[in-house]
Amino acid sequence: MVQIVPKRTQAACQYVIFKFSPSTVLYGVPQGSMLESILFVLYTADLLQLIRTYNLTPHGYADDTQILGICHHSTTDELQRRMSDCIDDVSTWMKAKRLLLNHNKTEVLWCSSSRRQHQIPTAFVRVGTSDVQPVSVVRNLGVYINSDVTLRAHVTATVRACFAALRQIRSVRQCLPRDAVVTLVLAVVISKVDYCNSVMAGASPAVGC
């Protein structure tokens, strides 16, 4: 049985002024295809193993890769050195795969309990040829993580987004039937509260106050 697969073509437009003629696409998959993420994960599968050779824990989601490490507060310098060496190898691996490590989008977060926040290093961390200043909050797939892991920043951002949505709904509430208002609240407000709410399990009740 012979299956004939039609050729894909694509064209680019620049500011709707210049339109380039269509060209045949011989490789890859359409943008947004289900195979896009799967093939990329297969393409970068050995990256996770490379990170593990440094006794670090990798976490990959599509083209977003995180490197996690744990240490005693007295060995932070050693972990920092190991992390920098690992990133050097990751950068070399990416160049070999025709990928690029964006130093400007690389963030460093030190986490510890509230009682040991004063022991968190504040020195720059070398990431390739750049020095990255550690931050106190990072955004991970829509979840804000504090250095003290209280999720206070995530709760604050969620409440702010919900109130902003409620104010917008309030401005048009009189023009909509009740069913439409309920649908808007469920879609725009409740969805923000439900998103990744499992990360709040075990969090201090004071965080939500």
Side-chain angles (χ1 to χ4, degrees), residues 51-58 67-70 79 82-83 86:
I51 297 173
R52 292 190 183 98
T53 60
Y54 286 87
N55 292 325
L56 299 172
T57 303
I67 304 176
L68 311 175
I70 186 171
L79 176 60
R82 188 154 36 100
M83 189 74 69
C86 178

Side-chain angles (χ1 to χ4, degrees), residues 136-171:
S136 58
V137 179
V138 295
R139 187 172 183 265
N140 181 18
L141 301 178
V143 177
Y144 293 87
I145 303 176
N146 300 71
S147 59
D148 57 0
V149 203
T150 59
L151 294 176
R152 188 179 301 276
H154 178 69
V155 172
T156 302
T158 302
V159 171
R160 186 188 304 116
C162 289
F163 272 112
L166 286 173
R167 285 193 294 269
Q168 293 177 346
I169 294 175
R170 181 181 180 183
S171 63

Side-chain angles (χ1 to χ4, degrees), residues 69-89:
I70 186 171
C71 70
H72 191 265
H73 67 85
S74 61
T75 59
T76 54
D77 291 340
E78 190 275 334
L79 176 60
Q80 182 171 322
R81 178 193 56 78
R82 188 154 36 100
M83 189 74 69
S84 296
D85 292 343
C86 178
I87 294 176
D88 288 341
D89 275 359

